[in-house]
């Protein structure tokens, strides 16, 4: 008997075929996320669940008595209540590494876009407002040779550091739970306190997982410590930033600009004041959104799922749930 799994997120055909070789399954075919009530109804017999971002908590797990594994098609797993999953010996997996370079590319795109005002000036040209006069009002700021401060030097942070160091000759400061001696050597990076990083960086980039500890990691006090000429970039999770404090810092000229791929509420509300500010570049959480990387994420998530429901150790189990397999 093939184990039965539920696919709550559409996956590429090749990935679905791989799952079909090892599991019987049903799937959500909608383009919009599966409604919570619908998902709960689908889990009665499921031994495995493939998702992106759906909340995995006691309420859902109460509807899934046979569940052994939940496989996230994302590296971030702040949607997992790992305590609830551990209590029920349900393994949880994510998709690290396969997206590092793609997310790092996007982080540099945000740095360059915010520094050189790309969206704003693209719009000026398209609105026919490019005039034959001094272009000083169009000036931006340099990226090359400046100081990049990375808060959260994980695998994606390192990929960003490499681009900044070797592609843009930037000086790298970083703050992290643990020192990373290899990374310091490779990038000639300096491990500093968060305060020193905020005071000295021309670009402050947030790349931390969202946890209780990192909720609103960047608030009024932190933005006040940044240079007035500095640019803030967030490619982690929106909840790591106090958006009200960021809005004020941008409006009051406490910092120069921001580049945001993530928001407290996603999709972000059109009324969010951040969207009204010309010195803010906004993107719809597309860090990993390339055809190849999303395929690789889906395939890794499928391999993790199949391994877990066929009694093998998945490749990328989240730290808190290592060894809990039912
Ligand atoms: C996901 C991401 O695509 O991997 C992550 O943690 O944030 C993205 O790659 C996103 O979670 C989809 O909502």
């Amino acid at each position: 008997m093939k184990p039965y799994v539920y696919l709550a997120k559409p996956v590429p055909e090749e990935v679905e075929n791989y799952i079909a070789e090892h599991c019987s399954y049903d799937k959500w075919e909608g383009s919009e996320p599966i409604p919570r009530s619908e998902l709960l109804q689908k889990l009665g017999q499921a031994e495995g669940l493939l998702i992106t971002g759906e909340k995995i908590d006691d309420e859902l797990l109460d509807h899934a008595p046979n569940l052994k594994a939940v496989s996230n098609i994302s590296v971030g797993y702040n949607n997992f209540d790992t305590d609830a999953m551990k209590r029920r010996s349900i393994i949880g997996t994510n998709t690290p590494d396969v997206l590092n370079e793609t997310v790092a590319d996007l982080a540099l795109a945000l740095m360059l876009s915010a520094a050189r005002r790309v969206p704003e000036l693209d719009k000026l040209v398209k609105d026919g407002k490019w005039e034959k006069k001094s272009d000083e009002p169009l000036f931006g700021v340099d990226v090359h040779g400046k100081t990049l401060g990375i808060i959260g030097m994980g695998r994606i942070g390192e990929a960003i550091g490499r681009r900044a160091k070797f592609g843009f000759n930037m000086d790298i400061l970083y703050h992290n739970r643990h020192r990373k001696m290899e990374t310091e050597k490779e990038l000639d990076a300096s491990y500093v306190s968060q305060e020193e990083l905020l005071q000295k960086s021309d670009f402050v980039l947030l790349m931390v997982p969202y946890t209780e500890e990192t909720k609103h990691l960047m608030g009024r006090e932190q933005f006040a410590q940044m240079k007035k000429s500095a640019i803030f970039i967030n490619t982690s999770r929106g909840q790591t930033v106090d958006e009200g404090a960021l809005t004020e810092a941008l409006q009051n000229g406490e910092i120069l600009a921001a580049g945001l791929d993530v928001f407290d509420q996603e999709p972000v509300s059109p009324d969010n004041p951040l969207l009204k500010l010309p010195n803010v570049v906004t993107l719809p959480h597309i860090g990993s959104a390339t055809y190849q990387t999303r395929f690789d994420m889906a395939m890794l998530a499928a391999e993790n799922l199949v391994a877990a429901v066929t009694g093998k150790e998945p490749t990328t189990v989240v730290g808190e749930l290592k060894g809990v397999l039912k």
Side-chain angles (χ1 to χ4, degrees):
M1 271 285 291
K2 285 181 175 179
Y4 171 72
V5 300
Y6 188 74
L7 314 183
K9 174 99 178 174
V11 293
E13 189 179 349
E14 190 180 331
V15 175
E16 189 174 330
N17 293 344
Y18 166 77
I19 293 171
E21 279 170 41
H22 304 274
C23 304
S24 59
Y25 67 97
D26 282 310
K27 64 179 178 176
W28 171 251
E29 305 201 60
S31 58
E32 70 292 339
I34 183 170
R36 178 81 172 176
S37 56
E38 185 112 12
L39 176 59
L40 298 182
Q41 299 318 312
K42 300 288 186 187
L43 299 177
Q45 301 310 312
E47 295 176 56
L49 174 59
L50 189 74
I51 59 165
T52 292
E54 279 74 15
K55 194 93 193 93
I56 305 300
D57 55 12
D58 281 314
E59 180 208 27
L60 180 140
L61 298 173
D62 286 345
H63 286 76
N66 302 305
L67 201 62
K68 291 179 179 161
V70 180
S71 178
N72 239 10
I73 309 178
S74 72
V75 63
Y77 56 94
N78 44 286
N79 58 311
F80 284 177
D81 177 341
T82 51
D83 292 340
M85 294 169 76
K86 194 183 286 181
R87 279 195 300 276
R88 301 161 190 252
S89 302
I90 294 171
I91 206 164
T93 64
N94 64 342
T95 59
D97 296 325
V98 290
L99 45 53
N100 296 347
E101 306 305 325
T102 298
V103 177
D105 288 350
L106 199 271
L108 264 292
L110 277 172
M111 287 168 61
L112 290 162
S113 299
R116 304 301 300 274
R117 303 163 55 192
V118 172
E120 181 197 347
L121 300 179
D122 167 67
K123 187 171 183 319
L124 176 139
V125 172
K126 287 175 180 160
D127 291 352
K129 295 199 175 109
W130 181 10
E131 295 163 340
K132 221 176 186 26
K133 64 181 187 183
S134 158
D135 58 1
E136 186 166 345
L138 311 181
F139 286 7
V141 295
D142 282 323
V143 173
H144 69 272
K146 292 294 184 71
T147 298
L148 169 62
I150 299 175
I151 302 178
M153 184 62 94
R155 287 160 287 211
I156 299 174
E158 289 168 353
I160 295 167
R162 282 187 206 100
R163 283 157 177 73
K165 182 74 186 174
F166 305 121
F168 293 84
N169 191 27
M170 298 181 86
D171 294 327
I172 310 294
L173 304 178
Y174 80 102
H175 184 68
N176 200 52
R177 278 173 299 179
H178 318 294
R179 277 192 78 168
K180 307 197 77 173
M181 307 315 281
E182 283 308 302
T183 306
E184 289 182 23
K185 224 173 27 238
E186 181 197 0
L187 305 179
D188 188 20
S190 306
Y191 179 76
V192 295
S193 69
Q194 180 175 295
E195 188 170 0
E196 183 176 346
L197 182 149
L198 294 171
Q199 289 163 348
K200 292 186 174 168
S201 300
D202 300 300
F203 293 83
V204 172
L205 185 135
L206 203 50
M207 203 64 238
V208 294
Y210 173 43
T211 64
E212 276 317 304
E213 294 74 39
T214 62
K215 182 173 175 54
H216 288 189
L217 183 71
M218 288 295 293
R220 271 184 187 73
E221 186 192 338
Q222 290 71 34
F223 289 119
Q225 291 169 335
M226 288 176 61
K227 296 179 181 180
K228 290 194 177 322
S229 61
I231 294 177
F232 175 68
I233 305 292
N234 191 7
T235 43
S236 63
R237 287 286 185 268
Q239 298 88 343
T240 60
V241 173
D242 175 340
E243 286 184 355
L246 173 58
T247 305
E248 276 173 29
L250 289 157
Q251 286 169 333
N252 306 343
E254 266 180 56
I255 66 172
L256 180 67
L260 309 173
D261 184 42
V262 288
F263 297 86
D264 203 37
Q265 295 303 322
E266 293 184 4
V268 62
S269 158
D271 306 328
N272 186 314
L274 285 167
L275 278 57
K276 308 282 181 300
L277 302 175
N279 54 346
V280 177
V281 177
T282 59
L283 290 172
H285 199 152
I286 57 162
S288 66
T290 63
Y291 292 99
Q292 186 57 53
T293 291
R294 286 294 176 81
F295 178 88
D296 296 344
M297 291 167 69
M299 186 52 91
L300 174 55
E303 288 161 356
N304 282 331
L305 182 75
V306 167
V309 298
T310 56
K312 302 178 200 68
E313 184 67 12
T315 312
T316 50
V317 179
V318 304
E320 296 85 342
L321 297 171
K322 283 202 167 36
V324 304
L325 202 53
K326 224 180 233 177

